[in-house]
Amino acid sequence: MAATLAGCGAGGGSGDVTLKLVAADYGSSQANTSQKYWDGVARSFEKTHPGIKVDVDVMSWKDVDREVAEMVADGNAPDLAQIGAYADHAAADRLYKVDDLVSVATQANFLPLLSRAGQVDRDQYGMPFAASTRLLFYNKGLFEKAGAQPPKTWDDIRAAAGKLKAKGVPYPFALPLGAEESQAETMMWMLAGGGGYRDSTNLSYAINSPENVATFTWLKDNLVGKGLTGPVAPGKLDRQAAFDAFVRGDVGMLNGHPTLMDAAEKAGIDVGKVPLPSPDGEPRPSMGVADWMMAFKQNGHRKEIGTFLEYVYQDKNVLAFSDQYDILPVTSTASADMRSDPRHKALWPFLEELPTSELYPVGRTSWARVSESVKKNIGGAVAPGSDPDTVLSGIAREAEDAAADE
């Protein structure tokens, strides 16, 4: 989930300023590309704000972070970028502080959890733009045929997966721990098991904590080792491949987000949704995800950037984006609107999880290296003959090295 706004220099001799916006594409095709959304917002803004133009460049998720980094390295930083992480740019003093850009009312309207996650050393640099939480999805039709019940504990997950396997379901529980986005799947299971990437102080990484080791030992012994995760080894299974299989009706259970829910239901899958259970069924925080808007100082367009951001974060625009891409709004007023509108009933379970969810440690510059280590190695924690403690300890050492370089 990311879109990026990149801004360049001023316009012609009239004194106009052109803000260049580089945005990642949340759409799945040209028919629903984010280019259309941003063009609409930009043209509408320009009609009521003469003297400020917005030039939009939408890029794929695979390219946008790298492209922005290259722009910065080339001395052509964007005015605005909405991408997956802001901490490196904040640490390098490239960004405006949020309170130098928007009004107190706009800043206070961001959901508190997301505002805190956008801070480095108590100053906010990252503005949340889009948010999501994760729930456990299950195929109601396959569950009914297998005589399985929606899980409330980890033992329930194992039991349901066994029944699904007996009925020939290819992926009783799809466990994507491949390189694409396994840092997300990892965090979901860690939280459900009472652990997480960080310790209780949120200051240090705790990747090889006893709770995390117990979680991956359970996955290895009770799902992977019993042949309940399908024909592709979890370490080789990417998230999109798992999602595609769910949409085809080949998956009994997997962790999913709102966009997958919409795609599956359009394909005729009757989707059930529950929070990912804990071992004993007690509630645990779900994983939250946010994408970030940031403003670069290089071109000196602080006032114009702030004016545009005030417009971007009006409820009508926040809700329009959420409506189009089944994304959770990042402001309190838009969230309240969604919660009271029956048209958004399908998103209410995700919305309910957001205030108590936990996000990646995006405020730490070490997180990018830690995330890459997880994506590269975590599949090995559940592989046959592996030792989860050894794998997690290896990732933990890389995390400690990355943290020491911050």
Side-chain angles (χ1 to χ4, degrees):
M1 300 169 53
T4 306
L5 306 171
C8 294
S14 65
D16 288 355
V17 166
T18 297
L19 302 176
K20 195 160 172 50
L21 177 140
V22 179
D25 199 348
Y26 287 75
S28 57
S29 68
Q30 282 300 113
N32 67 345
T33 174
S34 298
Q35 186 79 45
K36 294 181 179 179
Y37 169 82
W38 282 115
D39 284 345
V41 170
R43 301 296 84 78
S44 177
F45 170 79
E46 290 168 354
K47 287 179 182 178
T48 54
H49 296 82
I52 305 176
K53 297 189 180 299
V54 183
D55 184 19
V56 184
D57 189 6
V58 169
M59 301 179 183
S60 76
W61 261 106
K62 293 181 179 180
D63 300 328
V64 69
D65 287 82
R66 173 179 50 79
E67 289 285 349
V68 170
E70 290 178 359
M71 290 176 191
V72 171
D74 291 342
N76 187 29
D79 290 299
L80 287 161
Q82 191 262 303
I83 50 180
Y86 63 85
D88 284 352
H89 298 302
D93 195 29
R94 299 175 186 132
L95 304 179
Y96 287 113
K97 296 177 183 178
V98 175
D99 53 12
D100 290 334
L101 295 168
V102 298
S103 66
V104 172
T106 295
Q107 191 171 356
N109 198 26
F110 293 130
L111 293 172
L113 169 78
L114 303 181
S115 286
R116 291 192 297 271
Q119 295 177 1
V120 174
D121 295 332
R122 299 186 179 181
D123 287 318
Q124 186 176 354
Y125 295 91
M127 290 160 280
F129 178 74
S132 174
T133 54
R134 302 290 196 263
L135 294 173
L136 178 64
F137 287 15
Y138 62 95
N139 184 316
K140 288 184 178 180
L142 295 180
F143 262 60
E144 183 177 348
K145 291 177 183 177
Q149 297 298 317
K152 297 180 180 179
T153 68
W154 284 6
D155 284 343
D156 292 344
I157 290 176
R158 177 179 55 193
K163 291 180 178 181
L164 291 161
K165 181 181 180 181
K167 289 294 184 179
V169 175
Y171 293 87
F173 195 109
L175 186 67
L177 295 177
E180 182 186 352
E181 204 194 26
S182 55
Q183 81 279 8
E185 189 75 17
T186 297
M187 185 171 176
M188 284 181 263
W189 281 101
M190 284 179 170
L191 291 173
Y197 282 123
R198 295 173 286 186
D199 64 16
S200 58
T201 69
N202 282 335
L203 298 176
S204 301
Y205 290 107
I207 293 171
N208 60 338
S209 69
E211 293 85 357
N212 292 340
V213 171
T215 292
F216 277 86
T217 300
W218 187 90
L219 288 171
K220 178 178 181 289
D221 294 345
N222 292 275
L223 292 186
V224 182
K226 295 185 182 301
L228 301 177
T229 54
V232 180
K236 301 293 185 182
L237 182 64
D238 283 342
R239 180 197 63 167
Q240 191 58 53
F243 282 10
D244 291 345
F246 187 78
V247 172
R248 292 195 305 268
D250 290 341
V251 174
M253 293 174 279
L254 86 173
N255 290 309
H257 55 54
T259 304
L260 173 62
M261 173 192 67
D262 184 61
E265 290 178 346
K266 286 179 179 176
I269 305 297
D270 191 2
V271 181
K273 303 180 291 293
V274 296
L276 179 61
S278 64
D280 57 7
E282 290 298 311
R284 296 278 195 271
S286 66
M287 187 190 76
V289 177
D291 297 326
W292 302 95
M293 183 82 76
M294 62 210 70
F296 286 85
K297 296 190 292 186
Q298 178 179 308
N299 301 309
H301 295 152
R302 181 186 64 80
K303 182 178 178 181
E304 293 83 4
I305 291 170
T307 301
F308 180 62
L309 289 173
E310 291 284 353
Y311 187 80
V312 166
Y313 283 104
Q314 290 181 10
D315 281 355
K316 65 177 182 180
N317 294 318
V318 174
L319 286 168
F321 192 85
S322 296
D323 285 345
Q324 185 164 350
Y325 298 109
D326 289 315
I327 296 296
L328 301 182
V330 296
T331 64
S332 297
T333 51
S335 295
D337 188 291
M338 177 176 282
R339 192 174 288 110
S340 64
D341 188 343
R343 292 180 305 160
H344 299 296
K345 190 173 183 179
L347 289 175
W348 289 353
F350 299 94
L351 201 61
E352 290 168 4
E353 295 290 318
L354 186 58
T356 59
S357 65
E358 291 196 19
L359 280 71
Y360 298 132
V362 290
R364 302 193 62 171
T365 56
S366 58
W367 169 240
R369 286 171 60 185
V370 175
S371 176
E372 283 303 312
S373 179
V374 172
K375 288 189 283 188
K376 179 181 178 181
N377 297 300
I378 196 63
V382 297
S386 71
D387 175 32
D389 191 0
T390 299
V391 175
L392 290 171
S393 294
I395 299 171
R397 285 192 294 274
E398 292 194 43
E400 290 168 3
D401 291 342
D405 293 337
E406 286 183 314

